């Protein structure tokens, strides 16, 4: 027995420990082929399906992002266009308001000028009427005073009304003529 152990130990010493036995290589190969078949038939198709689904989802998301980008650009262009239109319309409204303001101011000036002219004409008419009234009143008072003074100087009363009125009118006409010549 000892001899068998020594022989077996010598054989084991001659055998390289890095190289496995033939039966280990065969059974390992069989296990490898079974595992490879299972992976090939079951796991790999599921992995491909998962990768295809992820790829499709990524491509779909990229397509959605592109569509959203195009919609955002279109919305921005529409917003820019509407903003430009609004600015143009606001400018037109401002210009129309300025023109309306100018028209209103011009109409107000015309109305004020016509009202001032009417008031001035009315005032001139009233002044002329008052002047005529004062002139008539002055003539009658100056005439009566002149007749009273002349009667006092002459010593008799002047009773002839037509003659007295003619004397007073001639006196006042000479007075007005002398005032016009002085100016």
């Amino acid at each position: 027995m000892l001899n068998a152990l020594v022989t077996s130990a010598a054989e084991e010493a001659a055998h390289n420990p890095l190289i496995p036995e033939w039966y280990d290589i065969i059974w390992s190969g069989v296990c490898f082929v079974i595992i490879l078949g299972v992976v090939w038939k079951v796991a790999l198709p599921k992995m491909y399906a998962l990768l295809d689904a992820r790829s499709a989802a990524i491509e779909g998301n990229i397509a959605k992002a592109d569509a959203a980008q195009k919609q955002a650009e279109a919305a921005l262009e529409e917003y820019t266009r509407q903003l430009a239109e609004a600015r143009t319309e606001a400018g037109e409204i401002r210009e129309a308001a300025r023109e309306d303001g100018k028209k209103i101011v011009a109409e107000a000036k015309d109305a004020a000028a016509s009202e001032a002219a009417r008031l001035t004409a009315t005032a001139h008419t009233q002044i002329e009427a008052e002047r005529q009234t004062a002139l008539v009143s002055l003539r009658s008072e100056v005439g009566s005073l002149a007749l009273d003074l002349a009667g006092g100087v002459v010593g008799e009363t002047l009773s002839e009304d037509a003659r007295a009125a003619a004397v007073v009118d001639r006196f006042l006409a000479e007075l007005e003529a002398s005032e016009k010549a002085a100016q």
Side-chain angles (χ1 to χ4, degrees):
M1 214 173 256
L2 191 52
N3 202 9
L5 279 175
V6 172
T7 336
S8 150
E11 281 180 14
E12 282 184 24
H15 180 324
N16 188 357
L18 294 178
I19 298 176
E21 294 294 326
W22 287 108
Y23 62 88
D24 283 339
I25 292 174
I26 291 172
W27 284 112
S28 295
V30 169
C31 289
F32 178 75
V33 169
I34 290 172
I35 291 173
L36 183 67
V38 168
V39 168
W40 188 269
K41 289 290 183 182
V42 176
L44 201 56
K46 287 183 180 180
M47 183 99 81
Y48 280 140
L50 180 66
L51 289 176
D52 287 341
R54 290 188 96 197
S55 175
I58 290 171
E59 288 175 1
N61 287 340
I62 289 173
K64 287 178 184 176
D66 287 341
Q69 178 75 20
K70 287 179 183 176
Q71 285 179 343
E73 288 174 358
L76 180 62
E77 288 176 9
E78 179 67 18
Y79 171 75
T80 305
R81 184 187 59 77
Q82 288 177 351
L83 185 61
E85 288 177 1
R87 285 183 178 160
T88 303
E89 185 177 340
E92 291 171 358
I93 290 171
R94 276 193 306 269
E95 191 61 35
R98 282 190 191 117
E99 292 298 323
D100 289 345
K102 288 179 183 177
K103 287 178 185 176
I104 290 170
V105 168
E107 289 173 1
K109 283 182 181 179
D110 291 344
S114 66
E115 182 66 18
R118 186 188 65 78
L119 289 176
T120 304
T122 303
H124 283 299
T125 305
Q126 188 177 5
I127 290 170
E128 185 62 32
E130 288 178 7
R131 184 178 157 271
Q132 290 297 328
T133 304
L135 189 61
V136 168
S137 173
L138 183 65
R139 281 185 183 221
S140 66
E141 286 182 30
V142 167
S144 65
L145 284 175
L147 289 176
D148 287 343
L149 287 175
V153 170
V154 174
E156 65 181 71
T157 61
L158 299 170
S159 60
E160 229 179 273
D161 289 334
R163 188 170 179 199
V167 170
V168 170
D169 287 340
R170 188 181 50 158
F171 173 72
L172 288 176
E174 288 176 4
L175 185 62
E176 287 177 0
S178 69
E179 284 181 6
K180 287 181 182 178
Q183 289 178 358

